[in-house]
Amino acid sequence: MKRVIMAAVVGAALAGCGTAAGDLFTARDRTVEYVRVFDIKTEAPPLAVARAASEGISRNIRNATLATPLPESEDRLDQPGRFKMADAPGAARGPSCEGASWTAQARPDVRGSQDVHIVACLYPYKTGYHLDMYAGFTKKEGGWLAWPRRATGYVMGTPEKFVEKTMIDLVRTIRETTGAQVALVEAKPELAGAPWLEPSRPGAQASKP
């Protein structure tokens, strides 16, 4: 009788694994994308804004590729430019920064993720600048290592936290260095509060850029 009861218990457990609990045994890759666009109003000269942007991204990424393209015209547009997303799928579809006065691109090595791609574009216009930022990466979810990954992320940080900190530090540095007024224009996913208005923490650096 005991054997019959034990067999029934084991069978029920296996059946449960085949339904909702079955996700525990299935690992998958998920693509995560971030978009942040800020409007920046400042009396600082363009070179000072570009320097502040370079300093800001360097707080978390030491090997970013930075550029200050020469403008086609000295006249500023009435409306700011906008980065254009590539057609490639997933994290590889980082945008181009055509028309930007300052650009940054990086592929940092971040724990818990693959193929991290971060792009920032600074677009001047008549009354200020727009700072367009994009980040994309893939990460493992589910499977036997789901709980160890969560524990590691809690202690060491997650790629989402790294991306958010990188973007906020960039725009915060521009605000603090140039005395700019900064407003959020677009955020995907949504951004709670206004962390770019909070003061920088002295000595804050990324643990693994």
Side-chain angles (χ1 to χ4, degrees):
M1 185 64 180
K2 291 182 179 179
R3 292 181 179 179
V4 173
I5 294 174
M6 182 61 69
V9 172
V10 173
L14 291 175
C17 290
T19 56
D23 289 343
L24 176 65
F25 305 100
T26 304
R28 56 192 175 275
D29 290 336
R30 182 167 72 92
T31 297
V32 180
E33 292 183 294
Y34 279 72
V35 172
R36 298 284 186 265
V37 178
F38 289 91
D39 184 65
I40 298 170
K41 298 290 195 298
T42 178
E43 298 296 328
L47 184 58
V49 179
R51 286 175 176 169
S54 297
E55 178 187 342
I57 198 166
S58 297
R59 291 189 176 187
N60 295 279
I61 302 175
R62 300 182 183 90
N63 59 348
T65 300
L66 308 177
T68 52
L70 293 175
E72 296 182 359
S73 172
E74 295 297 329
D75 297 329
R76 291 198 177 191
L77 301 175
D78 293 332
Q79 299 296 325
R82 167 78 179 189
F83 57 26
K84 297 180 181 179
M85 301 301 299
D87 294 330
R93 73 186 195 106
S96 63
C97 296
E98 183 178 355
S101 61
W102 172 91
T103 67
Q105 297 194 41
R107 294 186 177 274
D109 179 16
V110 182
R111 294 183 181 91
S113 62
Q114 305 173 40
D115 305 323
V116 180
H117 187 195
I118 296 178
V119 179
C121 317
L122 187 66
Y123 292 100
Y125 69 110
K126 284 189 175 179
T127 60
Y129 300 83
H130 264 200
L131 177 63
D132 294 15
M133 293 181 285
Y134 168 87
F137 58 88
T138 57
K139 59 182 294 186
K140 290 285 186 183
E141 290 187 340
W144 291 101
L145 296 177
W147 282 107
R149 280 196 296 269
R150 291 182 185 180
T152 301
Y154 181 80
V155 175
M156 305 300 297
T158 65
E160 288 88 349
K161 290 180 180 179
F162 176 86
V163 165
E164 196 69 84
K165 183 179 185 302
T166 298
M167 291 181 167
I168 293 301
D169 279 351
L170 201 169
V171 69
R172 180 189 287 134
T173 302
I174 294 175
R175 182 184 68 81
E176 292 178 344
T177 303
T178 68
Q181 294 183 344
V182 177
L184 180 65
V185 176
E186 180 181 346
K188 297 178 182 178
E190 292 185 2
L191 179 60
W196 62 92
L197 298 179
E198 300 171 2
S200 299
R201 291 179 297 172
Q205 292 288 341
S207 60
K208 189 179 180 183

